[in-house]
Amino acid sequence: VQLQASGGGLVQPGGSLRLSCAASGFNLNYHTIGWFRQAPGKEREGVSCFNSIDGSTYYEDSVKGRFTISRDNAKNTWYLQMNSLKPEDTAVYYCAADLNWQFCSSSGPRIEPWDYQGQGTLVTVSS
């Protein structure tokens, strides 16, 4: 049973990246999904999440209009499309999954242990 984030890399300001969150050993279709990031010297923050009960999504204010969460059920994978990237988006990005729908609300993804959390993927935005 594993959750793995991938797709990070070095990108110039204004560029785009698509992060993937792939599950193996369990089905993500019924899980609430969260994306987090942690920049050097800073605390982990919730970036986006999807509520499995009502299909609502949350985006942290600084990424609204630039990031989009989506999924491919056939591939058992979630994505975070990141456009118009800024240097302040530089961080290690993590995805997490939990059967508890309350882990994603209008306040964002809960900052506490989720059922599943993958290894992070580093995103560096720099010219």
Side-chain angles (χ1 to χ4, degrees):
V1 176
Q2 185 174 307
L3 195 64
Q4 180 64 53
S6 62
L10 173 64
V11 63
Q12 292 186 342
S16 298
L17 281 175
R18 188 178 76 163
L19 305 184
S20 299
C21 179
S24 58
F26 70 102
N27 193 323
L28 280 176
N29 288 356
Y30 305 106
H31 288 74
T32 285
I33 301 298
W35 282 98
F36 302 84
R37 67 185 179 186
Q38 188 164 17
K42 295 186 177 181
E43 294 186 352
R44 183 172 297 194
E45 65 173 347
V47 175
S48 177
C49 64
F50 170 85
N51 185 302
S52 61
I53 288 294
D54 61 13
S56 61
T57 54
Y58 163 89
Y59 296 96
E60 195 268 330
D61 285 345
S62 69
V63 308
K64 283 181 181 177
R66 300 189 297 121
F67 290 13
T68 304
I69 190 171
S70 65
R71 66 180 173 182
D72 184 332
N73 287 344
K75 294 182 178 181
N76 206 24
T77 299
W78 279 83
Y79 302 98
L80 185 68
Q81 178 67 43
M82 307 187 297
N83 299 328
S84 302
L85 284 162
K86 304 175 181 180
E88 52 263 42
D89 294 319
T90 294
V92 177
Y93 285 71
Y94 304 86
C95 62
D98 202 288
L99 281 173
N100 187 341
W101 61 270
Q102 294 177 320
F103 271 51
C104 177
S105 70
S106 59
S107 298
R110 283 188 182 179
I111 307 296
E112 63 182 84
W114 289 47
D115 287 342
Y116 305 100
Q117 178 173 306
Q119 296 292 325
T121 185
L122 176 62
V123 173
T124 303
V125 185
S126 175
S127 54

